Structures are given as C-alpha cells and as structure tokens.
Amino acid sequence: MKVLKNSLKKSEYSTNFFTNDDTLLKILKEKLPQEFYEYAVERLTAYGEKCAGEIDKRAKYTDREGQPVLKQYDKYGEEIYEVWVNSGYEQTVKESYGTGMVGFVHKEIPELKEKGNYLYSYSLGYLVSQTEPGFYCPVTLSMATAYLLEHYGDNDVKERFLPHVCATGDIELYEGATFLTERQGGSDVGANAVKAVKNGNHYRLYGEKYFASNAGKCGVAMVLARKEGAPEGTRGLTLFAVPWNKEDGRPNHLRVRRLKDKLGVRAVPSGEVEFEGSVAYAVGDESRGFYYMMEALNLSRICNAVASIGIMKRAYEEARQYAEARHAFGQSLLQLPMIRKTLAQLKAKLEVEVATVFDLIHLYDKVVAGEASETEVVLHRLYIALLKKETAEMAIHFAHEAIEMHGGNGYIEDFVTPRLLRDAQVLTVWEGTANILGQELIRLVNKFSAQQIFINEMVDRLSILEKTDNVFSVEKELERIAEQLQQFSNAESITQQVEAKPLMQRMAYLYESIVALEWAQKYKGKYESLADIYIETTWKTNQFAQSQKAVELAGDVL
C-alpha cells in the first residue's frame, strides 16, 4: 500500500505563500489605491516565494541548531554582551526589513512617492509568520519602537534613532525592543522599579528588566523607568529611548545576565538585562510613559494576532496537503467524510478570521492617521482585545489539529508541525494573557461604555445585509449577546471578573460572523459556503445537519 502519494509534488502554496491567498488578495484590492495595490502584489509575491523557500529552510535550522548565543566577553576579557545569530537568520533580517514592513509605515516608498500603511506591513507579517513567527517578534518590537519614536519623540530623539529603526537597506538598521517586564511586577507594570537619574541633557538607568526580547540584537530599546521622586504606580513611569551601544561600539553600561531557554520562538533572543547607568533619553511627556507604551502595546497585539493567523494558515495547509497525499483504507484521507468535515471547518474559521483581523487593521490605519471618531477609537481597542485572545487560542488549536492529521509524523521534528505548536503557545502569553485582556474588556466597558458602541456597530453592519437564514441566525445571537453585555455592564466587580473571558469569546464569534456574512454577500461563491460552515459550526444551530452540511460544502472550500 502506498503511504504517501505524490509526496514530492509541490503545491502552489508550498512554493509561494502569497499567490494562492484569495482572501488577502481581495483585501488588498479593495483597500489599496490601484498603484499601491500593484506595487504590493509585486512585493508580496516576491516575499511570499522567499517565505516558502529559503526563509523556511533557515527557520528550521535556527530552531533546531542555530539558536541565538550570548557572547559576554571578547578575546581580551572585555564585556561586550553581543548575541550571535546564524548567517541565515541575518539574511532573513536583511530581506525582511528591506521590504519596508517596518520602514514604509513611516517613510515614503520610493517607487510610489508616498508612505505605506499598516495594511501593507501586516500583510508582509502574515506571510513571514507562516514560516518564522519567532522572527516576527523582533519585527513587532521594531514596529512598536518606530511608532513610539514618531508619535512621541522630540526632534533630537527622532533624528538620532528613527531613520535607523526604519532602515530598508539604505542606512544601518537599528532593530527595536520594548522592555517592560520586571521580576517583582510581571503584568503589574505599576510595580516597576528601574530607576532613572537625571544627568545633564539625558538620564542614567539603573535596575533590571527580566524578560527583554531582542536583547543584544536591538539598536535601541524603549524602556519604562521611574525618575527620582516620581509617584508610585503607572503614573510615575517615564518612557526612555536607550541605545544598546555607546558611540564607541561598547555596551551602554548594561549587562545581559542570560538568554532564556524558551519552549518555542527560539529565533528571538530573550534575556535578562541589567542597566548599570545606561544613557537614556526621555521620550515625550515624562508623566505619560505608561500611556505611550500601552498605545504601542495595542500595535503589538495586532502583530500578535497576525502571527496567530499566520500559524493557522500554515497549519491548515500542512494538514490539507498531508491528507491529500496520505492513502489509507484504499483511498486518500481527504476523501473520508470525517477528514473533510474537519478540514472544511478549519478552512472556514481560518478565512473568516483572516478577513476579520484585516477588517481591524483597516480601522487601525484610520485611527493612527487621526481620521477616526472617538467611538471608533474605543471600538478598535475592543476589537484588538477580542481578536488577540481569539486568534492566539486558535493558533494552538490549528497546530494541534495539524499534528493529529499527520498522526505520528506530526510529532516528529522533520515536519514543521511540532514547531508550529511550540511557537503558537507563546502567543497566548505575549502582549497580554487572556486574563489581562479580560481586564481590558472590563476597563473599556466601565470607562467608555464599549458594550453599547460594540452593539450599535454590529446592529448597523447587520442591518444593511440582505436577509438570509444565516443573517437571521446571527441577529438572534446578537440579541442574546446584547442582553448579556447589558447585564455585564451593570454587574458587580466579581461577576465581571468571572464572566469577562467567556463573554469575549462570544463577542469575537459575533464580530467574525458578521464579517463572514459580509464576505458571502460581497464575493459569493466559496465565501457563501465558508459563511455557511462558519455560522453553523460556531453557533451549532443544528449539530447533525451542520455536520452533514460541512461535508457537502467541503468540495466548495477545500
């Protein structure tokens, strides 16, 4: 019996992560001006081929054999605190930053004579996350660093650092970093104790950051510290730009105690950094450091969601290709109803979640450009919390399903599936766990009445759709969730704490359902089938009918 049929035959996806992505192409076509769209397609096609080819090979090597290594001393015994990365990783850095996924958000694309946007940036991030989510972490940190410098830095700080963080091969690249976590505080940033001492036109930092990603590779880190005499809690924190090296190339009075031995995302060096009088430059209003960092955190949470859908996409494609090639019981696994149902449901969730994340990204571009209303600003913060949580949990689920589809092979490191699971697991932790995101929902509801803004938006978007059975089903769910949200907004603190996370999941489902319906009516064809599968799978309107329908519709979507 043949175990694998045509196992060496490459699919379109396995040679290019972009060209077969109908959903992403439609998003770009709808949201970008024609000239920018043509430019983006050309660049994404080239980068999609690299991601499926050389970058993928390098990612496997980095994960298994070429992980970052801390070099504390040079041959003379002098402290240097450099982090070695393999030459393939360095090439990925060069090729990826060269696309402008960081730089072209903040400076002109030469061919277009205009700045890019986050839609283009996140599209590139989505591709690289399908092969190397660990590398997308430093990219995320660089994006957050560039955001903070451009929006809040004074002219001197901007001129010193921003061009380098936004480098696209034209000048020396400074990757970025954001150092928040301290041992005694963790998620409680208000407990941070790193001290800032005034020293002429700059400051000196003293203390430790316990989980500092991109340590040793960043050119500049954005660090929260407390000035002498500043109040306790988050109100006393100032944001600082801290160069990693002095002008002579030696470390900026800092030490790296060690690099963390992590479960996954091994490409990114995460370390424990000690500041011993490091030169630092205050950024923006010195009393608003925490606010600035939380704004950057929202950007990073979108990056987290983009990395999650990237893992989901790769996991689905690996599962589908294996099911097609694997023969058992006289037929391809892809022909078995149980397998077809599973893959169809994964496909529906994937495509709907990709469309929803980019729906949020379109709104985020509007917010960053200063074109959003006050209610849209609240709404985008709510969407970020909902989708960061949902996508991260789904990335783990998809990686698990891909392993199960492969059977024993899925647990073997020759295949990409174990790495997908290891890399996915961190996404529920980075940029805020589900518990932290639940606190964000509570804050937005209690301070801004976000529940009513959300309900109004969902009602408005549903009201313009053609009435179908699926629309009626989602309207009923909207009524239930609206009632639950109203009760939640009036509930005591303990009830809000207990109910926040399950309520967030239902809200995410509702948002995604409406996006699915919009796509079904706009694009017809397979998107109608995807919406059918998503709605029935998510809300379980009729479990037995849903199972049969998923199998029947599988041919339309697989």
Side-chain angles (χ1 to χ4, degrees):
M1 177 183 71
K2 286 187 177 180
V3 175
L4 291 176
K5 181 181 180 182
N6 298 326
S7 58
L8 298 180
K9 181 180 178 182
K10 287 189 174 293
S11 68
E12 183 180 355
Y13 174 80
S14 62
T15 58
N16 194 308
F17 288 169
F18 174 69
T19 51
N20 78 329
D21 199 323
D22 293 339
T23 299
L24 183 56
L25 275 163
K26 284 179 168 57
I27 292 166
L28 296 169
K29 182 69 173 176
E30 179 181 335
K31 304 299 184 184
L32 293 178
Q34 183 62 28
E35 188 177 4
F36 194 173
Y37 168 75
E38 292 172 359
Y39 171 88
V41 168
E42 179 183 348
R43 295 309 171 98
L44 287 162
T45 299
Y47 192 60
E49 183 177 359
K50 289 182 183 293
C51 287
E54 291 303 312
I55 292 177
D56 198 47
K57 293 177 183 177
R58 297 171 199 152
K60 182 176 181 179
Y61 172 76
T62 298
D63 179 70
R64 301 297 296 162
E65 302 172 71
Q67 297 175 34
V69 176
L70 174 62
K71 187 177 180 182
Q72 295 176 295
Y73 305 98
D74 66 13
K75 61 185 178 182
Y76 299 108
E78 297 290 330
E79 294 180 331
I80 54 175
Y81 298 105
E82 293 178 353
V83 172
W84 172 89
V85 294
N86 66 73
S87 59
Y89 181 90
E90 292 281 14
Q91 185 64 23
T92 296
V93 169
K94 179 180 179 181
E95 292 172 352
S96 298
Y97 285 95
T99 66
M101 67 170 66
V102 176
F104 288 156
V105 175
H106 304 278
K107 66 180 184 180
E108 282 189 353
I109 300 172
E111 293 87 341
L112 301 179
K113 306 300 182 187
E114 63 178 275
K115 288 204 299 188
N117 55 29
Y118 282 104
L119 174 57
Y120 174 65
S121 171
Y122 283 127
S123 297
L124 291 160
Y126 172 52
L127 297 184
V128 77
S129 294
Q130 293 173 45
T131 180
E132 183 58 293
F135 170 72
Y136 194 51
C137 172
V139 171
T140 296
L141 297 172
S142 299
M143 289 172 65
T145 298
Y147 176 93
L148 290 168
L149 290 170
E150 177 168 289
H151 285 82
Y152 306 118
D154 61 27
N155 289 335
D156 289 342
V157 170
K158 281 184 185 178
E159 289 174 8
R160 183 186 296 266
F161 298 115
L162 187 58
H164 292 283
V165 178
C166 294
T168 52
D170 45 348
I171 61 173
E172 182 184 1
L173 171 68
Y174 291 177
E175 290 186 69
T178 56
F179 295 168
L180 282 79
T181 308
E182 299 182 16
R183 272 190 287 182
Q184 77 285 350
S187 297
D188 181 8
V189 179
N192 280 8
V194 170
K195 182 171 64 174
V197 179
K198 185 73 172 176
N199 185 33
N201 66 346
H202 60 266
Y203 286 81
R204 297 274 187 173
L205 298 192
Y206 299 87
E208 175 199 14
K209 295 296 181 180
Y210 189 65
F211 203 102
S213 285
N214 217 23
K217 293 305 295 177
C218 62
V220 57
M222 308 304 290
V223 181
L224 288 178
R226 197 179 304 278
K227 297 188 303 178
E228 292 180 300
E232 296 298 312
T234 56
R235 288 182 299 174
L237 295 174
T238 298
L239 180 66
F240 294 93
V242 184
W244 189 262
N245 291 322
K246 297 181 294 184
E247 291 184 2
D248 63 4
R250 309 299 292 182
N252 179 19
H253 305 287
L254 51 80
R255 301 175 67 247
V256 181
R257 182 186 295 120
R258 61 172 177 168
L259 295 183
K260 305 285 193 179
D261 185 8
K262 304 192 298 294
L263 172 69
V265 289
R266 294 171 174 169
V268 54
S270 301
E272 299 167 12
V273 176
E274 296 177 345
F275 298 110
E276 300 176 331
S278 304
V279 173
Y281 303 90
V283 175
D285 184 331
E286 295 186 10
S287 67
R288 304 198 73 199
F290 179 75
Y291 167 81
Y292 298 152
M293 196 65 96
M294 290 306 100
E295 288 299 297
L297 183 65
N298 273 331
L299 181 155
S300 299
R301 284 174 173 169
I302 300 175
C303 291
N304 201 98
V306 168
S308 295
I309 59 175
I311 289 179
M312 289 168 63
K313 174 71 170 176
R314 181 68 181 274
Y316 166 78
E317 294 289 352
E318 292 291 329
R320 189 200 179 284
Q321 290 179 36
Y322 193 87
E324 186 173 26
R326 177 74 163 91
H327 276 56
F329 312 111
Q331 60 183 323
S332 165
L333 293 183
L334 194 58
Q335 301 308 311
L336 297 174
M338 190 180 298
I339 302 296
R340 293 178 72 77
K341 174 194 168 188
T342 297
L343 289 173
Q345 290 176 332
L346 290 175
K347 177 72 168 178
K349 179 67 175 180
L350 168 65
E351 298 296 341
V352 170
E353 205 143 86
V354 168
T356 307
V357 168
F358 277 95
D359 184 78
L360 160 62
I361 290 167
H362 178 64
L363 177 58
Y364 184 70
D365 262 321
K366 188 176 179 181
V367 170
V368 172
E371 300 170 355
S373 66
E374 291 183 8
T375 57
E376 286 176 319
V377 171
V378 175
L379 192 63
H380 103 280
R381 289 175 179 165
L382 178 62
Y383 284 168
I384 289 170
L386 297 179
L387 291 182
K388 191 279 180 185
K389 176 180 179 296
E390 179 65 15
T391 56
E393 292 170 356
M394 282 297 102
I396 295 172
H397 173 67
F398 271 61
H400 154 77
E401 288 286 357
I403 288 174
E404 184 164 319
M405 189 67 67
H406 284 65
N409 279 336
Y411 211 65
I412 305 302
E413 293 284 355
D414 290 340
F415 293 81
V416 72
T417 41
R419 177 160 59 88
L420 292 178
L421 183 60
R422 287 188 282 104
D423 287 356
Q425 186 63 63
V426 79
L427 295 171
T428 60
V429 177
W430 273 351
E431 321 304 348
T433 64
N435 291 319
I436 295 298
L437 296 168
Q439 297 294 335
E440 176 71 351
L441 172 66
I442 293 170
R443 185 185 75 87
L444 291 171
V445 167
N446 292 343
K447 188 173 182 179
F448 301 105
S449 298
Q451 80 286 354
Q452 195 58 55
I453 295 172
F454 177 76
I455 293 166
N456 291 345
E457 177 69 10
M458 298 300 101
V459 168
D460 288 346
R461 290 176 69 159
L462 265 180
S463 67
I464 61 176
L465 295 176
E466 177 187 344
K467 298 304 180 184
T468 64
D469 289 343
N470 280 337
V471 170
F472 286 130
S473 295
V474 174
E475 284 178 339
K476 291 179 182 178
E477 297 301 333
L478 172 55
E479 291 174 5
R480 294 190 186 98
I481 292 173
E483 183 178 351
Q484 292 166 356
L485 278 169
Q486 197 58 45
Q487 293 172 350
F488 181 84
S489 67
N490 295 322
E492 296 180 353
S493 176
I494 188 171
T495 300
Q496 289 187 330
Q497 294 283 334
V498 171
E499 294 298 327
K501 288 193 291 184
L503 185 55
M504 289 179 76
Q505 185 177 60
R506 293 191 290 274
M507 294 169 72
Y509 288 167
L510 180 63
Y511 179 22
E512 292 180 355
S513 294
I514 290 173
V515 171
L517 293 172
E518 290 172 340
W519 275 67
Q521 295 195 13
K522 185 186 303 181
Y523 295 113
K524 310 295 183 183
K526 73 174 183 180
Y527 292 101
E528 293 175 300
S529 298
L530 289 167
D532 285 344
I533 296 169
Y534 181 88
I535 299 300
E536 294 198 30
T537 301
T538 301
W539 303 112
K540 295 179 172 57
T541 51
N542 184 325
Q543 188 63 39
F544 291 109
Q546 171 263 328
S547 297
Q548 183 176 353
K549 192 170 187 178
V551 175
E552 293 172 353
L553 293 174
D556 297 335
V557 302
L558 295 180

